[in-house]
Amino acid sequence: MSETTGASYASAGVDIEAGDRAVDLMKEWVKKATRPEAIGGLGGFAGLFDASALKRYERPLLASATDGVGTKVDIARKMGVYDSIGHDLVGMVVDDLVVCGAEPLFMTDYICVGKVYPERVAAIVKGIAEGCVLAGCALVGGETAEHPGLLGVDEFDVAGAGTGVVEADRLLGADRIRTGDAVIAMASSGLHSNGYSLVRHVLFDRAGMALDQDVPEFGRTLGEELLEPTKIYSLDCLALTRTTEVHAFSHITGGGLANNLARVIPDGLHATVDRSTWTPGAIFDLVGTAGSVERLELEKTLNMGVGMIAVVPQEAVDVALTTLADRGVDAWVSGEIVERGDHAEAVTLTGAYSK
């Protein structure tokens, strides 16, 4: 009678040892993404954060957000560059938190892979940790899951969740916005992490471009441009709330500027945004030209060069622009808040982009 070998987790495609190796490699990076309130390190079943730090608040409101980076992971996989994706993940989460005025406190991540390659997983976590440092929050835990049979051996996806805190009477949002407020735009670093399904379809399927193709307008390859990390605005926005009055923020992600800004415009008011106040980066022009994509479609999908909006009183404009400039943020007045009147939509983009 022939002997058969019993099944094992490894034979099913899950390598526990590789997972342990990935944890060892990422430890040094996670240690850098901390705050005094974070307790313990990797290895526990849950991340710990000392909530007694919230005693300084009169009425602390906890804010939470979760997100991923979409099909940008496919670019990272094909380029063999993984840390920038982690940076993107943090930006997408913490900049949603800061919109209500919340200070990001901590994040957790989830990395799903077809096969654990320890160095790749560690590189992703390295990027997440570096992003947390830029955002001023701690990385208190995470999970790496190996899904053989569901994902190819080189495929992966990432997601993250974050928690922040804001004093109740400093909560930002639509109820603070008034007629005459100024709309301040903050420049994006590029596509950020939205619209990549359209971008990939246009540039690869329709235009036949290659990731290693040099693009003179970029001064680098197409792949390097597409992997440009998402700008993290959280500390810049918090600095703004400390130096002057801010009524609202809007994180410009999927859906574009008009749709995201509309989320913080109250009934009865309207935001006008003048396209002529800025020039979108070359990547936006390339996508539009290569795919014959109409401007409205581009604006519904991509950030068009604006990653964050601040709505402030007119008297706060000078201080706001100075604060952002001192922090290295390219910002400008792009519009104003007016009475809704006959406007059907909450936001109108006017004029043509500056060349």
Side-chain angles (χ1 to χ4, degrees):
M1 180 180 294
S2 61
E3 294 184 2
T4 59
T5 302
S8 66
Y9 215 5
S11 68
V14 177
D15 189 339
I16 295 176
E17 287 75 18
D20 291 341
R21 170 64 176 157
V23 171
D24 288 337
L25 291 174
M26 68 179 71
K27 282 181 178 179
E28 64 173 297
W29 299 108
V30 175
K31 286 179 181 178
K32 298 178 181 180
T34 189
R35 290 173 55 115
E37 304 94 338
I39 297 175
L42 291 182
F45 286 91
L48 299 175
F49 191 89
D50 186 356
S52 67
L54 304 183
K55 289 180 179 179
R56 70 178 187 271
Y57 291 84
E58 291 293 326
R59 185 187 170 202
L61 301 180
L62 293 180
S64 64
T66 185
D67 212 335
V69 299
T71 58
K72 192 173 183 177
V73 296
D74 187 56
I75 308 296
R77 178 180 64 83
K78 290 176 177 175
M79 291 283 290
V81 177
Y82 302 98
D83 56 346
S84 62
I85 287 294
H87 181 123
D88 289 315
L89 179 63
V90 176
M92 299 306 290
V93 172
V94 300
D95 287 339
D96 276 354
L97 292 175
V98 82
V99 162
C100 67
E103 175 189 1
L105 297 176
F106 57 86
M107 272 193 68
T108 57
D109 63 68
Y110 177 75
I111 303 170
C112 180
V113 301
K115 178 177 173 60
V116 172
Y117 295 99
E119 289 76 15
R120 294 184 188 179
V121 174
I124 295 171
V125 175
K126 170 180 177 287
I128 296 172
E130 290 175 337
C132 285
V133 171
L134 292 175
C137 68
L139 179 60
V140 298
E143 172 73 8
T144 300
E146 196 169 25
H147 288 179
L150 294 181
L151 296 175
V153 295
D154 287 324
E155 294 179 333
F156 70 98
D157 199 7
V158 296
T163 298
V165 63
V166 59
E167 188 69 75
D169 64 7
R170 295 183 64 82
L171 183 68
L172 304 181
D175 62 314
R176 290 180 178 260
I177 295 179
R178 299 290 183 266
T179 302
D181 283 354
V183 176
I184 293 178
M186 302 180 214
S188 69
S189 57
L191 294 170
H192 285 184
S193 300
N194 297 107
Y196 274 78
S197 294
L198 172 64
V199 171
R200 290 163 53 245
H201 171 67
V202 165
L203 300 185
F204 305 142
D205 300 339
R206 297 191 60 163
M209 298 183 73
L211 286 171
D212 61 357
Q213 181 174 333
D214 286 313
V215 181
E217 295 87 344
F218 302 154
R220 55 183 173 178
T221 67
L222 176 62
E224 290 169 334
E225 176 69 20
L226 295 181
L227 281 188
E228 178 66 32
T230 299
K231 169 72 174 173
I232 296 176
Y233 301 93
S234 57
L235 292 184
D236 304 313
C237 291
L238 291 173
L240 207 57
T241 65
R242 291 192 295 268
T243 58
T244 193
E245 184 177 357
V246 178
H247 287 166
F249 290 115
S250 177
H251 188 195
I252 311 306
T253 56
L257 192 156
N259 286 339
N260 282 286
L261 180 54
R263 296 165 68 179
V264 297
I265 303 300
D267 292 340
L269 296 184
H270 180 82
T272 62
V273 177
D274 185 356
R275 298 184 184 94
S276 70
T277 60
W278 81 95
T279 303
I283 183 62
F284 303 101
D285 184 60
L286 176 63
V287 174
T289 302
S292 298
V293 184
E294 295 183 359
R295 185 177 69 182
L296 180 60
E297 184 65 25
L298 286 174
E299 291 176 341
K300 289 195 305 182
T301 309
L302 308 177
N303 66 58
M304 299 305 291
V306 177
M308 182 71 77
I309 290 284
V311 180
V312 306
Q314 284 288 344
E315 61 270 21
V317 167
D318 289 345
V319 173
L321 292 178
T322 298
T323 298
L324 293 171
D326 288 345
R327 297 184 61 84
V329 179
D330 183 14
W332 63 94
V333 175
S334 63
E336 64 177 337
I337 305 299
V338 298
E339 296 291 337
R340 177 67 64 94
D342 296 329
H343 295 290
E345 306 294 336
V347 178
T348 297
L349 273 62
T350 65
Y353 293 112
S354 176
K355 299 295 185 182

